[in-house]
């Protein structure tokens, strides 16, 4: 697999200001085990692509990042999934059109203390930027005439140019007034954000319809489809290191491999071999990792779930209600 662009800033490389901001934010949002409610008997398998095809007739957009913008690309995909869950499961008044990803990413770089256009951010800064209050900028529809429009390729991949990503990579230098965007976008941002502690949190949050973004030093140079016919999945092994943010595409308590977490990458359709299970739903650019690897990501990286309705109410699972 070709190593793609990177842009997540690990905690050990952050400034004192950046580390303090992350710590304060974590104290504010707390973990899912502290603020969330669980459901009994969640499904053995939840794949977002399957849900999207069933209820939208298409897949949600995936960003094909061109710069070190993985924090924005991974966070965008996770937030789009949460918006779908909010609409279908919680009947919240969510933005119906996918949002423009780079205003959130660019504002995250400003909140992180960066001082010019460029690449790189981190997960807690993005989570603060997408908030619908305080310092957050919220979200606005991608087709707003103030924003550049993506080239849509390979079905559901959104490709902006490198120049467009960079133009929107630092909110004080946006091509349009950031305060105007903020006043409009906070109507549709994410009200609630929480941290994940382990792979069991993925099961609970995904079953309840919340999107998840993850950042870590996870890297894999070895992926192949494994399993019996009809249950073959593209499995990755953690055998390299690079800083990168992605999103969760689902989970499966697989009959051969145990609990596996589906990871959606943003290095294009061709970045990884095609997962045989996902091919049925037209989804690509994704792979599965074992529970233990995801637990390690939670310990050493940043893993967040988004919601506009909060995590405190006990709910039945999204998949059973809608199938």
């Amino acid at each position: 697999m070709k190593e793609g662009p990177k842009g997540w800033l690990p905690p050990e490389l952050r400034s004192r200001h950046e580390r303090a901001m992350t710590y304060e934010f974590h104290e504010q949002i707390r973990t899912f085990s502290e603020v969330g409610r669980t459901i009994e008997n969640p499904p053995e398998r939840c794949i977002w692509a399957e849900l999207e095809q069933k209820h939208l007739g298409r897949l949600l957009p995936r960003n094909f990042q061109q710069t070190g913008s993985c924090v924005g690309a991974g966070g965008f995909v996770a937030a789009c999934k949460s918006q779908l869950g909010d609409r279908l499961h919680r009947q919240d008044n969510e933005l119906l059109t996918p949002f423009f990803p780079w205003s959130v990413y660019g504002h995250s770089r400003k909140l992180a203390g960066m001082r010019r256009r460029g690449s790189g951010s981190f997960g807690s800064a993005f989570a603060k930027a997408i908030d619908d209050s305080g310092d957050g900028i919220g979200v606005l529809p991608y087709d707003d005439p103030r924003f550049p429009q993506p080239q849509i390729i390979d079905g559901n991949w959104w490709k902006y140019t490198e120049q467009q990503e960079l133009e929107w990579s630092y909110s004080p230098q946006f091509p349009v007034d950031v305060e105007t965007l903020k006043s409009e976008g906070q109507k549709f941002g994410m009200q609630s954000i929480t941290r994940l502690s382990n792979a069991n949190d993925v099961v609970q949050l995904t079953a309840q319809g919340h999107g998840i973004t993850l950042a870590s030093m996870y890297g894999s140079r070895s992926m192949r489809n494994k399993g019996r016919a009809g249950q073959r999945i593209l499995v990755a092994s953690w055998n390299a290191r690079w800083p990168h943010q992605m999103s969760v595409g689902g989970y499966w308590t697989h009959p051969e491999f145990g609990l596996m977490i589906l990871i959606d990458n943003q290095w294009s359709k061709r970045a990884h071999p095609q997962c045989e299970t996902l091919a049925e739903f037209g989804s690509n650019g994704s792979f599965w990792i074992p529970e233990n690897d995801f637990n390690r990501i939670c310990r050493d990286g940043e893993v967040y779930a988004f919601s506009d309705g909060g995590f405190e109410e006990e709910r039945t699972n999204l998949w059973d209600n809608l199938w």
Side-chain angles (χ1 to χ4, degrees):
M1 181 192 72
K2 182 179 179 181
E3 185 172 330
K6 303 178 287 294
W8 176 66
L9 188 64
E12 61 269 22
L13 298 182
R14 296 176 197 172
S15 67
R16 181 180 300 177
H17 161 80
E18 292 164 345
R19 291 194 299 271
M21 191 201 79
T22 300
Y23 176 79
E24 291 171 6
F25 184 65
H26 287 177
E27 288 292 300
Q28 172 190 340
I29 64 173
R30 298 189 292 171
T31 63
F32 177 69
S33 62
E34 294 174 304
V35 302
R37 299 287 295 276
T38 60
I39 57 175
E40 295 183 2
N41 302 316
E44 289 187 356
R45 189 179 91 168
C46 292
I47 298 176
W48 274 102
E50 184 176 12
L51 178 79
E52 293 160 22
Q53 291 286 20
K54 177 72 174 181
H55 296 285
L56 297 176
R58 58 178 172 80
L59 296 174
L60 289 170
R62 295 269 292 277
N63 261 338
F64 180 2
Q65 67 175 98
Q66 302 302 301
T67 64
S69 58
C70 62
V71 173
F76 165 77
V77 173
C80 283
K81 287 174 168 40
S82 286
Q83 288 180 320
L84 177 62
D86 285 338
R87 291 202 304 271
L88 294 178
H89 194 31
R90 290 172 282 282
Q91 291 78 51
D92 289 338
N93 183 25
E94 274 298 326
L95 186 70
L96 297 178
T97 303
F99 65 92
F100 179 61
W102 304 125
S103 58
V104 186
Y105 167 66
H107 196 56
S108 81
R109 299 187 74 251
K110 187 261 185 183
L111 295 179
M114 298 173 187
R115 302 187 180 186
R116 63 181 66 87
R117 290 172 174 169
S119 289
S121 186
F122 47 90
S124 53
F126 181 91
K128 284 177 65 69
I130 204 171
D131 198 336
D132 64 2
S133 62
D135 293 332
I137 196 173
V139 299
L140 286 171
Y142 83 97
D143 55 2
D144 186 298
R146 292 171 291 188
F147 301 141
Q149 297 303 295
Q151 177 189 7
I152 300 177
I153 61 174
D154 295 325
N156 67 316
W157 287 87
W158 284 14
K159 185 177 182 181
Y160 293 85
T161 67
E162 179 178 349
Q163 183 59 33
Q164 288 167 341
E165 288 190 14
L166 290 174
E167 283 179 348
W168 288 87
S169 64
Y170 183 57
S171 58
Q173 296 176 357
F174 279 173
V176 300
D177 179 56
V178 65
E179 291 303 320
T180 300
L181 298 181
K182 183 176 179 179
S183 66
E184 299 173 14
Q186 282 193 344
K187 300 173 185 176
F188 302 105
M190 291 293 165
Q191 185 180 81
S192 300
I193 300 160
T194 193
R195 294 173 61 203
L196 279 69
S197 302
N198 51 53
N200 289 328
D201 288 349
V202 174
V203 173
Q204 287 293 329
L205 285 159
T206 305
Q208 296 181 50
H210 299 291
I212 299 164
T213 184
L214 68 154
S216 70
M217 295 299 293
Y218 181 92
S220 175
R221 301 184 188 279
S222 174
M223 298 184 185
R224 64 187 180 92
N225 279 284
K226 299 180 180 179
R228 300 186 183 94
Q231 298 174 336
R232 287 175 59 79
I233 58 175
L234 184 68
V235 178
S237 60
W238 194 334
N239 52 23
R241 285 172 55 85
W242 52 74
H244 191 43
Q245 183 150 333
M246 299 178 281
S247 59
V248 170
Y251 70 87
W252 189 355
T253 306
H254 195 278
E256 294 180 66
F257 309 124
L259 180 58
M260 302 292 289
I261 309 300
L262 177 60
I263 306 299
D264 290 340
N265 204 351
Q266 55 268 355
W267 291 346
S268 86
K269 170 183 178 178
R270 297 165 184 82
H272 310 299
Q274 174 66 63
C275 171
E276 294 182 19
T277 291
L278 298 183
E280 176 184 351
F281 314 117
S283 181
N284 46 57
S286 304
F287 54 89
W288 299 80
I289 66 173
E291 175 182 9
N292 287 342
D293 281 359
F294 192 88
N295 290 341
R296 178 180 167 190
I297 289 173
C298 289
R299 289 193 302 271
D300 301 336
E302 293 179 296
V303 189
Y304 304 104
F306 302 126
S307 175
D308 194 41
F311 306 97
E312 294 79 11
E313 297 180 13
E314 185 174 1
R315 303 181 179 96
T316 55
N317 78 72
L318 173 61
W319 269 250
D320 279 357
N321 278 357
L322 293 176
W323 229 248

